[in-house]
Amino acid sequence: MYLRKLSICNFRKLKSVEIPFEPGLNILVGPNNVGKTTVIDALRALLSNQDEPTPRLSEDDIYRPKQGPPAGAIEFHYVFDGLTPDDEADFLSALVPNTEGELEAHIFVRYSDPDKSTGRLRAKRWGGLHEENTLSLEMMEDLRGVYLPPLRDAALGLRPNRSSQLARLLHILVDDAGKLGIDEALKGLDEELKQHPPLINLQSAITDRHSGMVGARLAQSLEVNLSGSDFKRFSSRLALMVDAFEIEQNGLGFNNLIFMAVVLSEMASNQESAYRGLIVEEPEAHLHPQLQAVLLRYLENIAIQAATTETPEHNAPTSPPNPRVQVFVTSHSPNFASIAKLSSLICLTETDACVTSFQPHSVVFGKGKREKLERYLDVTRAELFFARRIIFVEGAAELMLVSVLAQKCGHSLRDHAVSLISVEGLNFDCFLPLFGKGRICIPVAVITDADPSEEVGGKAQALYPKSGEAIQVSDNTQAMLKLSDEFVGVFHGVKTLEYDLALYASNRTAMLKTLKLLHPKIGIEVEASVVAATDDAAKAKALFSGMFERSSNNVSKGRFGQALAQELSDSGAGCDVPPYVRKAIEHVCGNVPPP
């Protein structure tokens, strides 16, 4: 069985949200303070263990509207699917048929009735559709969860003690015959050690001194032996060495990996629980990108893999298959988001109205678009899952220039928490389906080229329109315009960014100066062509074509964009920002209503 859905009501900043989960790995991503830890605590309200008890909630945890005091109860609704016949028997009072007639386990937790002295809320748990069906202790024990908090001390969880992860794993893996064998081995070792002269001398020194101190009548029988001479005491003293060093001497990152390996081994080997869930906050803590990738791939495998039954050698008893473990992860790491499968990502976004959840894999992409998105979601572009506002641009030149143009408009993209993301020449059509109403609900602006053309002699010929001239945009731009809604705005000029900049005299001065610094000969040649042209459109064409439409040795757009951005920043000179760029910036900065 697995947790298919969690509904959260009236909890902290989550007024009402429903989060669907996959049977295997689930990665919660989103900006800081959007509610990821709140979701984790909602999971922990049901899935807990003796070391990590359920969260204690107070009146301060009740959702607080912008106007008025907090009111009502905190409620969680868990829906478990994929039940086996044994699971159905164990959760009989919680069973509810779904629309297809299949049985699901519905479990509710409500926090209400605050204690008058402490303000702590009382928890009520029940299964099924009737509150009288109180969740039994057996049901609670059947729901096994392990929580790994952020910035955890992994070495502490592996130190020798009765409840250490090593002791737990050993108790699960050993049977009665194994315990007896360890007891006999320890007793044999104890007897053998007692025959060594150092221990004989130690025993004599202590007993002689003790007898001399209290006298023969009061003297007690003293015997030096192993402190862990039976299985139970031995397991509580078990320690893990790493490359011949104590675990405390090992690095934090590798200790976290070792600790998770022990925890997952214990969960996968535990046959007593019907459900097993691992909850990990920020697993990227202490791990560099390479180890993050290693951990992610392992979590993907352990979450979905049910080990097949194998026949051991030497006629040993057959082990039952390892049960599945459902994994829940929160992350702030673009590395995780960039290499994770879309099917495992769950995005949390916050609007003025509420916090919503969205699964990217639910989007119906065009043919090949999903695969294209997964291929190109590198670390930089994976920032889109953590952004609060986004401007998408086509390439390196726009990436360099738009931030400077925003400053010329009086806006700081950094102050407005705007992420500037280049698709590096790709079409936007594999990114945009993730955004908009009902999806990732954040302000998004796409700055793209119009690329107008006309057909001459059966061939498309580029056009060079005047500022403000009516144009017919390319089919690609036209398709993107159809994706606009209250969150997503698509903005284009009359041709391309460089051409649109060159339509203004003040911009041409800075552009020619930059060109002459990069390519003196080309700069002088192009400047002469610009001066000879008659109007702004002709001058813009001469400048644009002279750089990027040469018969050979075209100027690099990325290098020119970087140099021009530096010139505009350093000189402090005025700049005419093309209207469509200004509108895009104002759209994401929230200064004007969406188009």
Side-chain angles (χ1 to χ4, degrees):
M1 60 187 287
Y2 73 98
L3 180 61
R4 181 175 63 82
K5 182 174 64 176
L6 167 62
S7 299
I8 302 173
C9 181
N10 221 29
F11 186 34
R12 295 177 185 158
K13 69 188 308 176
L14 304 182
K15 174 59 178 173
S16 179
V17 65
E18 182 179 290
I19 305 173
F21 294 115
E22 294 298 310
L25 176 63
N26 299 272
I27 304 176
L28 287 160
V29 296
N32 286 96
N33 200 36
V34 76
K36 296 188 292 295
T37 298
T38 301
V39 175
I40 292 300
D41 285 344
L43 290 169
R44 294 176 56 214
L46 181 67
L47 308 175
S48 60
N49 58 63
Q50 58 184 351
D51 290 335
E52 294 291 341
T54 57
R56 294 181 176 181
L57 306 184
S58 69
E59 292 177 292
D60 294 334
D61 292 302
I62 299 175
Y63 172 78
R64 182 182 297 272
K66 292 183 178 179
Q67 295 181 347
I74 298 172
E75 293 188 354
F76 306 131
H77 178 194
Y78 311 82
V79 179
F80 290 88
D81 203 350
L83 279 67
T84 66
D86 287 342
D87 297 333
E88 293 176 1
D90 291 339
F91 293 89
L92 185 61
S93 62
L95 297 181
V96 176
N98 60 20
T99 55
E100 284 135 18
E102 297 176 348
L103 293 176
E104 300 173 332
H106 287 239
I107 296 175
F108 298 82
V109 178
R110 177 190 295 140
Y111 285 86
S112 59
D113 301 325
D115 184 274
K116 292 183 179 180
S117 59
T118 64
R120 185 175 298 165
L121 301 175
R122 295 180 175 88
K124 178 183 176 72
R125 297 174 176 83
W126 72 93
L129 301 180
H130 303 286
E131 293 190 29
E132 294 77 12
N133 296 331
T134 304
L135 211 61
S136 66
L137 180 61
E138 290 78 11
M139 287 185 186
M140 290 291 294
E141 290 178 347
D142 259 342
L143 300 171
R144 170 88 165 110
V146 173
Y147 168 63
L148 304 184
L151 301 177
R152 53 202 159 271
D153 185 355
L156 180 62
L158 294 171
R159 285 178 192 157
N161 62 69
R162 292 181 181 178
S163 60
S164 75
Q165 289 294 334
L166 283 174
R168 281 190 200 163
L169 181 56
L170 180 62
H171 276 272
I172 290 173
L173 295 177
V174 72
D175 56 13
D176 290 340
K179 291 179 183 179
L180 181 61
I182 291 176
D183 284 342
E184 292 176 351
L186 289 171
K187 289 178 182 177
L189 177 61
D190 199 12
E191 293 300 324
E192 183 179 345
L193 288 173
K194 289 178 182 179
Q195 307 306 315
H196 287 261
L199 288 183
I200 295 174
N201 295 336
L202 175 64
Q203 169 109 13
S204 298
I206 295 173
T207 54
D208 291 348
R209 181 67 61 181
H210 178 65
S211 297
M213 182 184 298
V214 299
R217 183 175 292 275
L218 296 177
Q220 294 178 291
S221 176
L222 303 180
E223 185 178 10
V224 175
N225 58 23
L226 292 175
S227 63
S229 57
D230 61 73
F231 174 79
K232 187 174 182 180
R233 283 182 286 183
F234 168 75
S235 64
S236 68
R237 290 164 174 78
L238 208 59
L240 189 65
M241 303 294 289
V242 183
D243 291 336
F245 289 99
E246 299 283 346
I247 192 75
E248 288 85 358
Q249 297 174 290
N250 202 37
L252 291 175
F254 275 96
N255 277 355
N256 270 277
L257 293 177
I258 294 168
F259 183 71
M260 278 188 262
V262 175
V263 169
L264 284 166
S265 296
E266 186 259 324
M267 295 185 74
S269 302
N270 189 346
Q271 303 293 321
E272 297 179 357
S273 301
Y275 172 83
R276 300 150 192 86
L278 176 65
I279 304 169
V280 188
E281 281 203 82
E282 301 177 20
E284 68 269 17
H286 314 302
L287 299 180
H288 61 67
Q290 183 184 14
L291 283 182
Q292 289 179 33
V294 170
L295 174 60
L296 176 63
R297 291 294 177 237
Y298 183 76
L299 290 177
E300 287 177 338
N301 290 334
I302 195 68
I304 63 175
Q305 182 181 17
T308 57
T309 301
E310 298 179 357
T311 303
E313 298 179 358
H314 308 299
N315 298 319
T318 301
S319 300
N322 287 337
R324 292 189 177 189
V325 178
Q326 192 173 15
V327 182
F328 306 92
V329 171
T330 66
S331 178
H332 295 106
S333 169
N335 289 290
F336 255 62
S338 67
I339 57 180
K341 297 177 181 177
L342 283 184
S343 59
S344 65
L345 293 179
I346 302 169
C347 303
L348 295 181
T349 57
E350 184 177 13
T351 64
D352 292 337
C354 61
V355 174
T356 60
S357 71
F358 167 68
Q359 290 182 298
H361 78 87
S362 66
V363 174
V364 179
F365 288 91
K367 184 178 180 181
K369 302 301 181 184
R370 179 189 298 274
E371 294 77 12
K372 184 178 177 181
L373 175 63
E374 290 184 323
R375 280 198 306 272
Y376 287 99
L377 270 178
D378 60 12
V379 174
T380 302
R381 288 182 283 275
E383 182 185 353
L384 61 87
F385 293 119
F386 305 90
R388 294 185 180 274
R389 304 166 185 267
I390 296 177
I391 295 179
F392 281 111
V393 296
E394 292 195 355
E398 293 86 353
L399 192 65
M400 303 295 177
L401 286 166
V402 169
S403 182
V404 175
L405 296 178
Q407 293 175 356
K408 296 297 182 180
C409 294
H411 301 290
S412 168
L413 298 186
R414 185 181 297 275
D415 291 345
H416 283 86
V418 177
S419 296
L420 191 59
I421 298 176
S422 167
V423 300
E424 300 299 336
L426 299 175
N427 292 334
F428 297 94
D429 54 4
C430 62
F431 297 94
L432 284 189
L434 297 173
F435 299 92
K437 189 173 182 180
R439 298 179 182 182
I440 301 179
C441 302
I442 61 174
V444 173
V446 176
I447 296 178
T448 187
D449 297 336
D451 291 328
S453 63
E454 64 179 358
E455 191 170 313
V456 177
K459 293 184 179 180
Q461 182 172 324
L463 297 177
Y464 302 86
K466 295 181 180 180
S467 180
E469 181 179 338
I471 59 170
Q472 178 64 41
V473 300
S474 67
D475 292 341
N476 185 51
T477 302
Q478 187 64 41
M480 283 191 294
L481 287 168
K482 295 178 181 178
L483 299 175
S484 299
D485 65 9
E486 59 187 291
F487 294 100
V488 177
V490 178
F491 302 87
H492 64 83
V494 297
K495 187 171 175 64
T496 68
L497 178 60
E498 294 85 0
Y499 179 86
D500 284 78
L501 284 171
L503 287 171
Y504 300 91
S506 62
N507 298 341
R508 290 195 294 270
T509 301
M511 294 173 78
L512 286 169
K513 181 180 179 181
T514 301
L515 179 60
K516 286 189 285 187
L517 286 173
L518 293 176
H519 304 280
K521 292 183 179 180
I522 295 176
I524 293 172
E525 173 191 329
V526 171
E527 185 175 36
S529 300
V530 170
V531 171
T534 56
D535 58 21
D536 285 332
K539 292 178 182 294
K541 178 181 179 181
L543 181 50
F544 180 83
S545 299
M547 287 193 293
F548 308 123
E549 294 178 341
R550 304 175 63 82
S551 58
S552 61
N553 299 323
N554 277 333
V555 175
S556 166
K557 282 193 173 186
R559 187 183 177 197
F560 177 78
Q562 181 179 19
L564 179 58
Q566 191 68 44
E567 170 63 24
L568 293 175
S569 297
D570 292 347
S571 67
C575 173
D576 286 296
V577 179
Y580 77 102
V581 176
R582 185 182 296 272
K583 288 179 181 178
I585 292 167
E586 290 173 343
H587 171 63
V588 295
C589 291
N591 289 14
V592 295

